[in-house]
Amino acid sequence: MTPFGERVRQLRREHGRMLKDMAAHLGVSSAYLSALERGERGKPTWTLLQGVLQYFHIIWDEADELARLADLSDPRVKIDTANTDAKATLLANRLAREIRGLTPDELGQMLAVLDQAQERERRAAFDGVSSLPLAGRD
């Protein structure tokens, strides 16, 4: 399952909507929508994402979050480790081989490490912007 598929299924169930009705509204087959929810299809198109947002009347922050989940929902990821530390290549290859054996708890721990790295990068970028002279900020 992908993050987007999981969220779409959750929204559909919360709103008491049938898969076939939603599929008809979006102009896709029930089989396609079911496969998308199960993570057997790639990232949704921009048009499909917009259709889902409209179908559930989603706006603002929740729309941004669903778009973010769509962007992070490619079930066949390719990781380019060229010009990185050898450990990055080792990590990418081991993760590709062993991801199915990880428990939900272990996956959560790994995501927490990545979240910390992302936050560290955000802070560093913010610190770089905030240290610019006022004339340099636009």
Side-chain angles (χ1 to χ4, degrees), residues 2-29:
T2 65
F4 179 78
E6 181 177 47
R7 182 66 180 127
V8 167
R9 180 175 282 175
Q10 181 184 32
L11 284 166
R12 190 172 54 75
R13 289 179 175 169
E14 285 173 2
H15 287 86
R17 306 286 175 88
M18 300 285 293
L19 185 97
K20 66 178 183 158
D21 296 334
M22 182 176 174
H25 176 84
L26 296 174
V28 299
S29 70

Side-chain angles (χ1 to χ4, degrees), residues 26-123:
L26 296 174
V28 299
S29 70
S30 295
Y32 173 81
L33 184 57
S34 178
L36 185 69
E37 285 186 358
R38 291 190 317 271
E40 296 170 2
R41 293 288 183 191
K43 288 178 11 176
T45 64
W46 183 86
T47 303
L48 184 68
L49 173 61
Q50 295 305 309
V52 170
L53 294 173
Q54 187 271 332
Y55 185 71
F56 292 116
H57 308 289
I58 296 172
I59 59 171
W60 308 110
D61 291 344
E62 194 175 358
D64 289 342
E65 177 62 11
L66 197 59
R68 186 184 73 79
L69 291 176
D71 189 49
L72 295 172
S73 289
D74 187 347
R76 291 181 175 85
V77 178
K78 180 180 177 185
I79 301 174
D80 182 359
T81 61
N83 302 317
T84 63
D85 189 288
K87 288 180 182 177
T89 301
L90 176 62
L91 174 63
N93 280 275
R94 292 214 37 212
L95 185 59
R97 287 188 190 127
E98 300 170 28
I99 195 165
R100 285 181 180 82
L102 296 172
T103 66
D105 203 37
E106 291 166 333
L107 291 168
Q109 291 171 17
M110 294 178 82
L111 286 168
V113 169
L114 295 173
D115 289 345
Q116 290 171 352
Q118 185 177 44
E119 183 59 30
R120 187 175 56 246
E121 284 184 24
R122 279 189 189 139
R123 274 188 262 121

